[in-house]
Amino acid sequence: YTSGCGKGTLFYNALDFSGRQKIKSKKRLAAKKIIDLMHNFQKISQGFRKTGGVHIAALSDGEGILIFKEYIGRHNAIDKIIGEALIKGIKTEGLTILSSGRISSEVIFKVRRLNIPIIASRTAPTDQAIKLARYFGLTLIGFVRLGRMNLYSHPERIA
């Protein structure tokens, strides 16, 4: 089981799967709300407007953005929002992650550890990310732009 993200091939540890139950969140979001959140999320990125060369990530409660970060690496932007949530003691269960970058299997493992039921990106997920999202009960959304989106797993959370 491999993923070609970053510097090379990553082999997952069996412990990434052991003891991990599926996400059983009753969280639901309206499709329009996700589109609006993504639109607002992109508008606040000054770094992208200035350079066109940064990734952005946010943690949302479904109504607004709780934490927003910019960084050159897509993984690092997500790590920064997760880190701030942990430092501030924000309970992540039932929240949503927004990202500008491709969603890889490594990102799915991070999101699953925090029991976050929904992740949405402006771009595409990898094939392995889709498979893992289905396995873990995570709602994975890609290509959120121009008033539309693609649902790859667990669409029951999107109204």
Side-chain angles (χ1 to χ4, degrees):
Y1 195 83
T2 65
S3 176
C5 185
K7 218 174 166 189
T9 302
L10 174 74
F11 293 91
Y12 293 110
N13 186 321
L15 293 175
D16 282 331
F17 290 97
S18 69
R20 302 245 185 247
Q21 295 183 8
K22 291 186 178 192
I23 294 173
K24 295 184 179 171
S25 174
K26 296 192 186 304
K27 177 75 172 189
R28 288 183 53 88
L29 281 177
K32 171 116 175 65
K33 190 63 179 176
I34 293 168
I35 290 166
D36 291 346
L37 283 168
M38 186 65 75
H39 178 74
N40 293 336
F41 159 73
Q42 291 176 275
K43 281 185 2 185
I44 61 176
S45 178
Q46 294 178 13
F48 186 81
R49 275 198 309 276
K50 287 180 183 176
T51 68
V54 297
H55 282 286
I56 53 178
L59 190 63
S60 172
D61 60 4
E63 293 300 317
I65 293 172
L66 304 174
I67 299 173
F68 173 86
K69 296 293 179 186
E70 299 177 294
Y71 202 77
I72 195 160
R74 61 192 165 84
H75 283 272
N76 299 97
I78 290 173
D79 290 344
K80 284 176 168 271
I81 61 167
I82 290 170
E84 186 169 324
L86 293 173
I87 288 168
K88 290 182 173 179
I90 296 171
K91 296 200 183 282
T92 56
E93 186 173 322
L95 297 181
T96 297
I97 286 188
L98 305 172
S99 175
S100 65
R102 181 171 46 94
I103 302 300
S104 66
S105 54
E106 294 87 358
V107 170
I108 297 297
F109 278 119
K110 291 175 190 183
V111 172
R112 169 57 199 105
R113 283 185 196 107
L114 296 169
N115 212 24
I116 295 172
I118 301 170
I119 184 167
S121 177
R122 186 177 188 288
T123 61
T126 65
D127 182 58
Q128 291 297 338
I130 295 168
K131 289 175 183 174
L132 286 171
R134 289 175 180 159
Y135 177 82
F136 285 133
L138 180 80
T139 299
L140 175 59
I141 307 165
F143 293 108
V144 183
R145 51 178 123 153
L146 303 173
R148 58 182 301 267
M149 67 179 76
N150 292 348
L151 284 164
Y152 294 96
S153 60
H154 297 278
E156 66 275 7
R157 290 194 184 101
I158 309 305

